[in-house]
């Protein structure tokens, strides 16, 4: 099964492969805007397994698969035997007999790995508690559409060192940009992730102030303060209040800096309305690009391509 093209994490694929996936995403987006939807995945089936609620992941994968000529099948905990205790391994073996690829949005990262280890079809990470690589592909795509190549640029992450922060660290290494992480000391990214980035020569700067992270940055990024399943929400909010992205923070970044957020957003918490609804915000292009980036991922996983 070693020749199966899983899309599990950015650190599991080299920069050349990731750049090729984005090139495919750009090409498919251009084609769609020109009124062409090449049915590259005609006859293919994608099982979408959701153990966490979703708006963007669910709709973007569904629409992407349909526009490529394939069909999605949606399963949540109520619809599948996972909710009644069937093992991830058994579910993987079953789905592999029916569909051409599996996308899972789940809790523990170990479930994703277990699914991939037992699948005979490609598995895509739609989100785990550790990482969110599909979102990062859309984020890189969106930045480059607005500001050109991301290599050599400075990205500022403000907030929790969570799964999104981990994927930004992976992306910084693979796409060769500087990442400044402004995080509370109690909410730093995992040491193992930072050690991996340092070993790979990544330009990762960890600071505990928003100002140091945002100064002269090309892009400022944040995320929801309290994620699904968090049980210590009030503690998180108190720790993260100094990391709010507001007009003062954006003024420290470059004059043409952009703002991104993976959503859902809580205006007045992690970001002010004046920023996310202001002229520097590119979050709605970021939302759209989830679909286009995932087309690139799906076609790469399934060995299809459009002429670039």
């Amino acid at each position: 099964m070693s020749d199966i093209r899983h899309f599990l994490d950015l650190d599991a694929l080299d920069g050349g492969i990731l750049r090729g996936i984005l090139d495919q995403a750009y090409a498919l987006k251009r084609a769609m805007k020109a009124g062409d939807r090449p049915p590259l995945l005609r006859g293919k089936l994608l099982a979408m397994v959701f153990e966490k609620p979703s708006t963007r992941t669910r709709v973007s994968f569904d629409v992407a698969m349909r526009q490529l000529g394939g069909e999605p099948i949606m399963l949540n905990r109520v619809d599948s035997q996972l909710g009644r205790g069937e093992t991830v391994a058994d579910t993987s073996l079953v789905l592999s007999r029916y569909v051409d690829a599996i996308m899972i949005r789940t809790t523990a990262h170990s479930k994703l790995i277990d699914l991939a280890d037992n699948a005979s079809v490609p598995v895509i990470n739609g989100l785990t508690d550790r990482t969110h690589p599909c979102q990062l592909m859309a984020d890189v795509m969106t930045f480059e559409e607005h500001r050109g190549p991301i290599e050599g640029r400075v990205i500022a992450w403000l907030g929790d060192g969570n799964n999104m922060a981990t994927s930004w660290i992976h992306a910084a290494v693979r796409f060769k940009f500087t990442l400044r992480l402004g995080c509370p000391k109690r909410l730093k990214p995992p040491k193992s992730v930072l050690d991996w980035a340092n070993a790979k020569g990544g330009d990762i700067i960890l600071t505990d102030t928003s100002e140091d992270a945002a100064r002269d940055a090309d892009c400022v990024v944040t995320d929801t303060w309290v994620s699904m399943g968090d049980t210590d929400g009030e503690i998180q909010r108190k720790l993260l209040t100094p990391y709010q992205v507001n007009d003062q923070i954006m003024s420290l970044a470059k004059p043409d800096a952009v703002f991104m957020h993976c959503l859902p957003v809580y205006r007045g918490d992690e970001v002010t309305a004046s920023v996310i609804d202001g002229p520097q915000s590119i979050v709605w292009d970021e939302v759209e690009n989830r679909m286009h980036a995932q087309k690139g991922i799906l076609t790469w996983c399934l060995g299809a391509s459009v002429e670039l």
Side-chain angles (χ1 to χ4, degrees):
M1 296 184 188
S2 60
D3 58 341
I4 299 173
R5 291 182 169 185
H6 296 308
F7 187 84
L8 304 181
D9 269 320
L10 303 187
D11 64 340
L13 299 171
D14 66 39
I17 290 174
L18 295 173
R19 177 54 63 187
I21 291 172
L22 282 184
D23 288 344
Q24 186 78 179
Y26 290 129
L28 288 166
K29 183 175 181 177
R30 288 193 300 270
M32 192 192 81
K33 299 296 183 182
D36 183 20
R37 295 181 180 177
L40 301 178
L41 299 184
R42 178 179 289 147
K44 301 293 185 181
L45 297 173
L46 172 69
M48 304 191 301
V49 181
F50 288 92
E51 291 197 301
K52 278 192 169 186
S54 171
T55 298
R56 283 154 292 278
T57 298
R58 177 176 175 177
V59 177
S60 60
F61 265 109
D62 188 301
V63 174
M65 197 66 185
R66 293 176 192 275
Q67 289 189 359
L68 289 167
E71 291 289 336
I73 301 171
M74 214 274 292
L75 297 169
N76 58 37
R77 292 186 66 84
V78 175
D79 297 325
S80 74
Q81 295 297 333
L82 276 174
R84 297 181 59 206
E86 183 171 70
T87 68
V88 174
D90 285 353
T91 298
S92 181
L93 292 168
V94 169
L95 292 178
S96 294
R97 297 298 180 105
Y98 296 142
V99 301
D100 300 285
I102 305 166
M103 186 282 297
I104 184 168
R105 179 179 171 93
T106 187
T107 52
H109 197 77
S110 59
K111 292 183 180 181
L112 169 75
I113 302 304
D114 199 8
L115 190 76
D117 284 347
N118 289 278
S120 56
V121 298
V123 171
I124 298 170
N125 177 359
L127 175 141
T128 70
D129 289 351
R130 180 177 181 267
T131 55
H132 198 358
C134 289
Q135 179 68 56
L136 255 294
M137 295 296 278
D139 291 350
V140 172
M141 182 178 185
T142 307
F143 178 88
E144 293 192 332
E145 285 182 337
H146 284 267
R147 293 293 180 265
I150 199 169
E151 182 173 344
R153 299 300 191 100
V154 177
I155 308 298
W157 168 269
L158 303 186
D160 188 4
N162 59 11
N163 54 354
M164 280 298 302
T166 292
S167 284
W168 271 106
I169 292 168
H170 292 162
V173 173
R174 293 304 189 222
F175 291 102
K176 300 179 181 178
F177 59 84
T178 296
L179 178 66
R180 297 202 204 113
L181 296 139
C183 305
K185 291 180 179 179
R186 287 179 56 182
L187 297 175
K188 293 190 298 185
K191 182 178 182 298
S192 60
V193 178
L194 295 170
D195 288 345
W196 171 85
N198 289 330
K200 296 293 183 181
D203 190 3
I204 311 297
I205 301 164
L206 190 61
T207 175
D208 57 7
T209 73
S210 295
E211 291 79 7
D212 287 344
R215 191 167 285 110
D216 295 322
D218 294 287
C219 175
V220 178
V221 193
T222 192
D223 190 11
T224 302
W225 281 350
V226 182
S227 298
M228 289 178 291
D230 285 349
T231 57
D232 52 357
E234 287 309 310
I235 295 174
Q236 294 261 116
R237 284 190 175 89
K238 288 178 181 178
L239 290 171
L240 290 168
T241 295
Y243 298 85
Q244 183 190 72
V245 181
N246 50 40
D247 292 326
Q248 191 271 330
I249 288 296
M250 290 301 296
S251 73
L252 295 174
K254 289 181 180 177
D256 65 344
V258 293
F259 171 77
M260 292 200 291
H261 188 307
C262 64
L263 305 183
V265 62
Y266 298 91
R267 292 169 175 82
D269 282 352
E270 71 271 14
V271 61
T272 59
S274 61
V275 172
I276 194 165
D277 300 321
Q280 290 174 283
S281 174
I282 56 174
V283 295
W284 308 115
D285 292 337
E286 192 182 356
V287 167
E288 179 185 344
N289 281 338
R290 284 294 304 278
M291 178 181 70
H292 301 299
Q294 285 156 196
K295 285 182 180 180
I297 293 166
L298 286 164
T299 53
W300 175 78
C301 286
L302 291 167
S305 63
V306 67
E307 186 174 339
L308 299 177

